Amino acid sequence: VLIIRGNDVKRMIERGLESIEPEEPKSKIVIKPCMRNLKPYPENVPSSTIEPIVSFFKRFGKGILIAEASMGVETAKAYKIHKYLEVARKYGILLIDLNKDLRYEVTILGSLALEKVSLPRTLRNSYIISVTSICETTEGICLTMGNMLNVLVEEKWVYHGKHYHEYIVDINSYLKPKLGIIDMRRIRVGDKERELNTVIISKDLVAADFIAIKLAGLNPDDFRYLYL
């Protein structure tokens, strides 16, 4: 896990990606930000966090997509409000609404709770990068592994019930994101907002989430999926 300190998110992510030397993509690259609604950072990942990731991975000559399935608002509107359209135009990449994507059925062998699910085709055989911030909302705190759960856009029931953490493990085990990035320059937990001036980058999403939880002063026991 890389912990990068600073104030310039562009420079921080550039330094981190150069240092961690991510695995070279063999397929299209899908950047999956966490955008729940139209509220500003830290509740949602801003385009300023995404742009240096796009710029870095352009060197590999693979197609790059940004894909999200906003739940509380139209994804297209979220892209516009959070200024993702500017990044898409600048780098000639597509913005995908996973809520409207074609889907394919999969069986997850050896799953803890999810056996058969419907997934967006955009994610099929993709090099996935999960990007989040830290902000506690009524839905809880979304980290890099939890960010992958809303790709099950036709399976909203996964957010309820005792198997929520098992669902997170199953979907990450199947999709296998290659990189987790957490923008912790500023975090909000409860009513308290703090400046941490930190970005976390890791090839191991379990490790990334665990370190982010500790730095945020949270209890890892509340994130049972880490132990699973």
Side-chain angles (χ1 to χ4, degrees):
V1 177
L2 283 180
I3 301 173
I4 306 105
R5 308 286 191 185
N7 297 305
D8 184 341
V9 69
K10 179 177 182 291
R11 182 62 185 140
M12 294 163 76
I13 290 175
E14 287 173 346
R15 285 167 50 205
L17 291 174
E18 292 287 355
S19 298
I20 205 167
E21 298 180 351
E23 175 185 329
E24 182 173 348
K26 305 298 182 185
S27 57
K28 68 179 181 295
I29 300 160
V30 178
I31 300 172
K32 168 68 173 64
C34 182
M35 285 194 301
R36 316 176 198 208
N37 51 47
L38 303 182
K39 295 181 180 179
Y41 174 80
E43 189 155 336
N44 296 282
V45 174
S47 60
S48 56
T49 302
I50 297 299
E51 182 171 355
I53 303 171
V54 173
S55 178
F56 178 89
F57 279 93
K58 271 287 189 179
R59 69 183 64 182
F60 295 109
K62 301 293 183 181
I64 300 178
L65 307 171
I66 297 175
E68 173 59 321
S70 296
M71 297 181 66
V73 67
E74 284 289 326
T75 305
K77 190 171 184 179
Y79 279 139
K80 181 178 180 180
I81 293 297
H82 297 303
K83 300 184 178 180
Y84 279 62
L85 293 177
E86 287 88 335
V87 175
R89 293 189 187 108
K90 180 176 179 179
Y91 293 93
I93 61 177
L94 293 176
L95 301 176
I96 304 296
D97 181 353
L98 296 178
N99 288 312
K100 299 179 179 178
D101 202 7
L102 295 174
R103 311 191 70 75
Y104 69 105
E105 300 295 324
V106 302
T107 298
I108 303 179
L109 299 176
S111 66
L112 297 178
L114 286 175
E115 295 182 1
K116 293 184 179 181
V117 293
S118 175
L119 294 176
R121 287 194 182 180
T122 293
L123 301 179
R124 195 170 194 171
N125 301 321
S126 296
Y127 184 108
I128 300 172
I129 304 170
S130 179
V131 188
T132 64
S133 54
I134 291 187
C135 179
E136 188 172 25
T137 67
T138 55
E139 292 82 27
I141 293 175
C142 176
L143 297 171
T144 61
M145 291 182 68
N147 183 39
M148 299 306 302
L149 197 57
N150 77 336
V151 305
L152 301 172
V153 293
E154 295 183 349
E155 320 279 357
K156 298 302 185 187
W157 48 267
V158 300
Y159 287 93
H160 309 284
K162 63 181 180 180
H163 296 302
Y164 170 76
H165 294 274
E166 283 82 358
Y167 298 148
I168 290 178
V169 172
D170 287 342
I171 199 64
N172 280 274
S173 297
Y174 183 81
L175 291 174
K176 295 182 173 61
K178 300 295 185 181
L179 204 62
I181 299 176
I182 307 174
D183 183 346
M184 299 180 66
R185 289 171 297 144
R186 190 166 76 249
I187 70 170
R188 187 162 70 241
V189 178
D191 296 328
K192 296 181 179 179
E193 192 163 303
R194 290 188 289 145
E195 300 280 346
L196 294 186
N197 297 321
T198 298
V199 168
I200 286 177
I201 302 179
S202 182
K203 301 174 188 177
D204 182 336
L205 271 63
V206 176
D209 285 5
F210 184 84
I211 295 299
I213 288 164
K214 297 291 284 185
L215 289 178
L218 300 168
N219 185 355
D221 290 340
D222 294 333
F223 298 82
R224 188 166 56 88
Y225 68 82
L226 295 173
Y227 299 96
L228 292 172

